[in-house]
Amino acid sequence: MQVEEAGRTDQRELLDELLARGLLLATGVPGLYGRGREFERIRLGLDALLSRAFVAERAERMSFPPAIPRRQMESSGYLTSFPHLAGSIFSFDGSEAQAVEQDAVAQEHGDWSRFQRMTPLSLLPAACYPVYPAVAARGRLARPGLTIDPGAASVFRHEPSEDPTRWQFFHMRELVRIGEPDEVVTWRDGWLERGLGLLRGLGLEARRDVAADPFFGRTGRLLAASQREQELKYEIHLQIAGSTPTAIASFNCHQAHFAALYGLEFAGGGEVHTACLGFGHERIVVGLLRTHGFDPAGWPPEVAEQILS
Ligand code: ZN
């Protein structure tokens, strides 16, 4: 208990420091932050570093908006596994009289949800979600498969927190591999090593660990145990603030989950599996600031030259 309380104090102090220095901009909602000029300069420098690391992949670039069709949210299994993290988009669809009524309730900060209807859109939960249906729509795949770079997407997780590393909207830089079952595991393992090297090369005391997704409920605990047992997910952890280290990157094998869902197939037959990796921009930036100091002008030159040009 004491360790947890000390952890919360540590997180609060870090958040206060980031806000006081204008690195983060408060909105009044936990986990919803603006980014100051220096924070954004570091974040974009990190993204450019990742782009350079990804060059050898010869990945195909795809860009998507920060939303997916609601139907995809419904059929992807996300609401089964992570109902607590999903975000749905609602909007007004009423008469002029109802608009006046809604406004009156909203002015008082009351509950105006009865005037809102669900739209066909959900908030993007992970950068890779739009990739699978987009690739499947092009027809059967040529061997040995392909790598897609969906860029640094803005993703949403409904997890309000005072932890300055846990944001509700953040950028996730992913790479997605679609290929043969053995090959995607080798690809994932190779990137786990390269990712660890890249982050340690930034002076971060990063460690790799087998991990599990934050599945919901009692069934979720079983899913998490099975995921760990099969080593489907690895994370790179860094001690940033609080009583436990924070995941700053993840390396995931989905086996046939997305391939079966969207009908990804090789032209000549044979099973398709998928894997993805993701680097959490904001968590890495906060980790760099905590490790090397809040003023990047004082960072070790070997770190600064990789990120701040
Ligand atoms: Zn992914």
Side-chain angles (χ1 to χ4, degrees):
M1 210 58 206
Q2 249 171 353
V3 174
E4 280 176 27
E5 185 47 43
R8 277 195 291 274
T9 304
D10 186 31
Q11 290 173 347
R12 218 164 18 239
E13 285 171 0
L14 174 58
L15 181 58
D16 288 347
E17 186 79 33
L18 293 167
L19 292 170
R21 289 175 176 267
L23 289 157
L24 300 192
L25 312 173
T27 67
V29 174
L32 187 69
Y33 304 110
R35 306 180 301 276
R37 188 175 58 92
E38 276 299 275
F39 190 99
E40 193 65 354
R41 183 163 80 106
I42 302 166
R43 189 182 75 80
L44 294 175
L46 170 68
D47 194 54
L49 174 68
L50 291 169
S51 290
R52 294 195 293 277
F54 290 174
V55 163
E57 280 289 324
R58 299 179 184 279
E60 178 181 337
R61 189 68 187 253
M62 289 184 177
S63 300
F64 296 96
I68 55 170
R70 192 179 92 207
R71 290 188 74 91
Q72 189 188 355
M73 182 63 99
E74 291 162 353
S75 56
S76 65
Y78 195 85
L79 292 174
T80 315
S81 298
F82 315 109
H84 55 310
L85 299 178
S88 313
I89 301 181
F90 285 68
S91 203
F92 176 74
D93 183 23
S95 65
E96 271 188 67
Q98 286 168 326
V100 170
E101 219 182 315
Q102 171 179 263
D103 193 31
V105 179
Q107 295 282 344
E108 300 296 321
H109 303 297
D111 180 358
W112 42 283
S113 60
R114 65 181 182 277
F115 302 103
Q116 296 280 303
R117 288 180 66 166
M118 214 172 197
T119 70
L121 305 177
S122 294
L123 293 171
L124 182 67
C128 64
Y129 269 65
V131 168
Y132 311 107
V135 172
R138 303 197 297 211
R140 293 182 163 197
L141 306 171
R143 282 180 197 279
L146 75 169
T147 306
I148 303 288
D149 176 359
S154 179
V155 303
F156 175 80
R157 303 275 167 87
H158 178 244
E159 44 181 358
S161 166
E162 301 289 343
D163 176 356
T165 68
R166 195 168 291 281
W167 295 26
Q168 299 202 65
F169 272 101
F170 56 96
H171 291 89
M172 188 190 276
R173 181 72 194 269
E174 285 204 33
L175 270 186
V176 181
R177 180 69 198 165
I178 301 174
E180 294 178 48
D182 288 349
E183 190 263 344
V184 300
V185 176
T186 307
W187 179 89
R188 190 277 306 262
D189 292 346
W191 269 106
L192 176 60
E193 293 310 313
R194 280 192 287 281
L196 193 62
L198 184 143
L199 292 164
R200 286 184 177 162
L202 293 174
L204 301 174
E205 287 185 23
R207 298 179 29 165
R208 96 170 79 74
D209 281 308
V210 69
D213 284 308
F215 293 109
F216 184 72
R218 226 174 334 152
T219 325
R221 281 199 287 280
L222 297 176
L223 287 172
S226 152
Q227 194 182 26
R228 276 178 196 279
E229 197 186 334
Q230 297 180 74
E231 297 185 20
L232 296 179
K233 185 180 189 76
Y234 276 88
E235 286 176 341
I236 293 179
H237 291 151
L238 176 69
Q239 180 57 41
I240 300 177
S243 52
T244 53
T246 300
I248 55 174
S250 73
F251 302 81
N252 314 289
C253 287
H254 320 120
Q255 298 180 312
H257 175 75
F258 289 114
L261 205 53
Y262 299 109
L264 290 163
E265 289 173 347
F266 284 120
E271 204 176 9
V272 173
H273 280 194
T274 65
C276 74
L277 61 89
F279 289 86
H281 271 185
E282 284 81 355
R283 287 183 174 185
I284 297 172
V285 175
V286 173
L288 286 165
L289 290 163
R290 187 97 213 231
T291 303
H292 299 306
F294 295 104
D295 181 3
W299 281 11
E302 65 278 12
V303 177
E305 71 193 15
Q306 295 185 68
I307 297 264
L308 308 165
S309 49

